[in-house]
Amino acid sequence: MPAFCRAAANCDDGGPYEEPRMPSSTERSLHPVNLPEGWTPESWRTRPAMQLPTYPDQAALAAVQDELRALPPLVTSWEIMNLKQQLAEAQEGRRFLLQGGDCAESFADCTSDVISNRLKVLLQMSLVLVHGMRLPVVRVGRFAGQYAKPRSADTETRDGVTLPCYRGDVVNAPAFTPEARTPDPRRMVKAHARSAMTMNFVRSLIDGGFADLHHPEYWGLEWVGESPLAEEYQRMVSGLGDAVRFMETLAGTQVHNLNRVDFYTSHEALLLPYEEAQTRRVPRQWGWFNLSTHFPWIGVRTAALDGAHVEYFRGLRNPIGVKVGPTSTPDALLRLIDLLNPDDEPGRLSLIHRMGATQIAERLPALLEAVKRSGRRVLWICDPMHGNTESTSNGFKTRRFDNIRSEIEQAFDLHAAAGTRLGGVHLELTGEDVTECMGGARALTEVDLERAYKSQVDPRLNYEQALETAMLIVRKQAQVGRAAGAPA
């Protein structure tokens, strides 16, 4: 049974929790990891905390945290450890990571259509990557918990009225009223429930054969029937179907596990009271796990070395990611690596660079060289979205597909030049027929943005643009491989 499906059955992380134990000598010889000194799930409270809302009722906040601690976990420790192993293999070039989903989930979008379309997009993208790169793909959804968003200011002013900014549905609501914008801790319970619903539906889809490689044609989305990319994608689907049938002919029986995939979840662990309440010890494991997600990450705005978020993350056994922006310096990055992965544990740490198409060539090489010279094991991931956001003349926040493409292509080239490896991509995307990013196969313009701009926060790739991104990754990886003398 695949990793993402198993939590619904025989979950040993939902029972009574045992006192943490130190790893045995045998475990230490295999995984030389130490419990961090002075760390507890609450120790982040002693550090400067950025991007956290101010709750007017602290007693209500504490009561909600107690309620969350009593609720069942959303993922299991052994799913988390399975993902860490797969990320370790991606570090070695034996897998490629595809991480994608909404900029910020909304409670209203916890529907079967939105969830299944999002899953279809990621499955189709992974099909393209597997077919073209000839590597297993680690599939990580940016959903089932992505309800909090960092903001550039604490407040927003309209027509002389100043209110708290919208920080995602887990904190407050987007409507510009005092009632909607006041942070409400009860929203954390609702976020937990919506995350559980999302996970359970995805698990059911996958367990029911939604990802069956015998029938990838079932993953199609009706509205893209006339897509300029449809013919190329259908050739890939036919090629994969032929390959599956060929393997089964040789084997004389059906190839097992082609109707199942591993699928994991991730979100930015921004709202620390929510994350703390779901950080737990589990039977037959040592240490602490964030059981709200498989793969939490730290954003650029909260990656301060002495900050609350880094303090919280350093004690987790989950694999973790850190966003690395154009202001990051080699010395600070190496210190951050020492804090978050002092034992150089395989699969533990991913560095997600998001520089922008105009800055990546200047800013990334020094970071790659510093980490390579240190000999530390990390998984390098390219986020081509967040460094390429701009505003249009008609007031929309958008991203140009050409800039997204450019950053991905430059990332492959820069890693090849540095002797490092680009092991994954991190994308904001949706399976809905939105028009939020300009360009792509249909050459969307500023005028098109008005047709179907639905995001409350940042612009996302639509289905066509996401699939086109997967295809360009395959082409660029092949080009870099040929330049390096790899066999075709």
Side-chain angles (χ1 to χ4, degrees):
M1 190 178 294
F4 194 73
C5 306
R6 287 185 293 232
N10 194 29
C11 172
D12 68 352
D13 287 358
Y17 295 101
E18 301 173 349
E19 289 299 311
R21 62 178 179 83
M22 293 297 293
S24 67
S25 58
T26 301
E27 288 173 320
R28 281 184 176 278
S29 66
L30 295 174
H31 302 287
V33 179
N34 299 303
L35 291 172
E37 293 185 8
W39 185 90
T40 69
E42 302 84 22
S43 60
W44 65 266
R45 297 175 181 273
T46 65
R47 304 294 182 90
M50 304 293 292
Q51 296 291 330
L52 296 185
T54 300
Y55 289 99
D57 188 339
Q58 291 296 306
L61 173 62
V64 164
Q65 285 190 284
D66 287 341
E67 185 175 345
L68 287 171
R69 290 186 182 99
L71 292 175
L74 297 176
V75 302
T76 67
S77 62
W78 33 271
E79 288 177 331
I80 289 169
M81 299 307 287
N82 284 344
L83 173 59
K84 186 182 286 187
Q85 176 59 39
Q86 291 189 20
L87 294 177
E89 293 170 9
Q91 288 176 347
E92 298 173 356
R94 295 190 285 125
R95 291 180 182 267
F96 190 83
L97 171 72
L98 172 63
Q99 184 178 14
D102 267 310
C103 161
E105 293 177 280
S106 69
F107 293 161
D109 282 343
C110 185
T111 66
S112 59
D113 287 345
V114 170
I115 296 168
S116 60
N117 282 346
R118 188 191 298 134
L119 182 60
K120 285 177 184 178
V121 170
L122 290 168
L123 288 172
Q124 287 187 328
M125 291 181 73
S126 69
L127 173 65
V128 171
L129 295 174
V130 168
H131 183 273
M133 301 179 83
R134 301 297 192 264
L135 283 174
V137 170
V138 184
R139 303 166 182 88
V140 177
R142 185 184 156 115
F143 56 65
Q146 183 60 15
Y147 289 111
K149 286 297 292 181
R151 310 302 289 165
S152 57
D154 290 333
T155 60
E156 179 183 358
T157 300
R158 298 184 191 175
D159 300 324
V161 177
T162 300
L163 295 175
C165 68
Y166 170 60
R167 290 189 173 277
D169 278 8
V170 70
V171 175
N172 53 10
F176 195 74
T177 66
E179 295 77 16
R181 291 296 181 90
T182 299
D184 178 5
R186 293 298 310 169
R187 285 179 162 268
M188 289 193 280
V189 177
K190 196 169 185 178
H192 182 279
R194 291 294 193 276
S195 298
M197 293 177 201
T198 299
M199 288 186 181
N200 285 339
F201 185 51
V202 171
R203 285 174 173 135
S204 297
L205 287 173
I206 293 176
D207 199 34
F210 186 80
D212 190 347
L213 291 185
H214 290 91
H215 300 287
E217 68 274 11
Y218 294 167
W219 304 347
L221 295 160
E222 292 180 1
W223 67 268
V224 294
E226 302 302 320
S227 168
L229 300 173
E231 184 176 348
E232 183 175 355
Y233 174 72
Q234 287 304 323
R235 285 199 300 270
M236 291 183 179
V237 169
S238 297
L240 183 65
D242 291 343
V244 169
R245 286 187 289 274
F246 177 71
M247 286 188 295
E248 292 182 338
T249 299
L250 289 180
T253 185
Q254 189 175 61
V255 178
H256 296 294
N257 297 325
L258 290 180
N259 62 337
R260 298 286 193 275
V261 296
D262 288 346
F263 215 98
Y264 302 96
T265 66
S266 66
H267 66 251
E268 181 177 359
L270 188 66
L271 187 59
L272 291 179
Y274 178 80
E275 308 298 337
E276 174 197 309
Q278 298 178 83
T279 304
R280 307 180 182 184
R281 304 181 298 245
V282 302
R284 295 172 292 281
Q285 288 279 7
W286 61 273
W288 295 81
F289 293 83
N290 182 327
L291 297 181
S292 74
T293 187
H294 301 104
F295 184 36
W297 80 81
I298 307 174
V300 165
R301 291 185 176 97
T302 52
L305 292 166
D306 63 346
H309 289 80
V310 170
E311 169 62 20
Y312 169 74
F313 270 72
R314 76 181 180 94
L316 300 178
R317 291 203 65 200
N318 301 61
I320 60 175
V322 180
K323 292 289 187 78
V324 179
T327 61
S328 299
T329 65
D331 288 346
L333 183 58
L334 292 177
R335 290 169 61 196
L336 190 61
I337 293 172
D338 286 340
L339 281 172
L340 294 175
N341 193 20
D343 297 293
D344 200 28
E345 181 186 5
R348 159 70 173 172
L349 182 60
S350 296
L351 300 180
I352 309 166
H353 52 74
R354 31 88 76 226
M355 302 291 174
T358 62
Q359 297 192 73
I360 185 171
E362 178 184 357
R363 302 293 183 179
L364 183 60
L367 303 178
L368 298 181
E369 175 60 27
V371 176
K372 180 184 177 183
R373 190 170 56 248
S374 74
R376 304 303 294 273
R377 284 178 287 202
V378 302
L379 176 62
W380 288 104
I381 301 168
C382 176
D383 170 0
M385 309 294 293
H386 286 87
N388 293 305
T389 306
E390 59 184 82
S391 295
T392 64
S393 59
N394 53 359
F396 287 96
K397 185 189 289 188
T398 190
R399 291 157 176 157
R400 297 178 188 272
F401 188 82
D402 284 347
N403 289 335
I404 293 168
R405 182 206 332 254
S406 175
E407 183 157 359
I408 293 172
E409 291 178 340
Q410 289 183 75
F412 272 105
D413 288 336
L414 292 168
H415 278 279
T420 55
R421 180 182 297 108
L422 181 62
V425 290
H426 180 117
L427 303 166
E428 289 187 345
L429 54 84
T430 178
E432 303 306 295
D433 184 10
V434 302
T435 54
E436 297 171 0
C437 293
M438 295 190 297
R442 291 186 186 272
L444 299 181
T445 66
E446 286 190 24
V447 175
D448 294 307
L449 300 183
E450 300 178 1
R451 175 169 63 84
Y453 197 105
K454 300 179 182 180
S455 175
Q456 294 284 353
V457 188
D458 288 341
R460 303 159 295 175
L461 299 171
N462 62 25
Y463 165 81
E464 283 186 352
Q465 293 165 332
L467 196 59
E468 187 175 0
T469 299
M471 292 178 179
L472 78 86
I473 289 169
V474 167
R475 295 188 189 110
K476 187 61 185 180
Q477 190 259 1
Q479 177 188 342
V480 170
R482 287 194 298 270

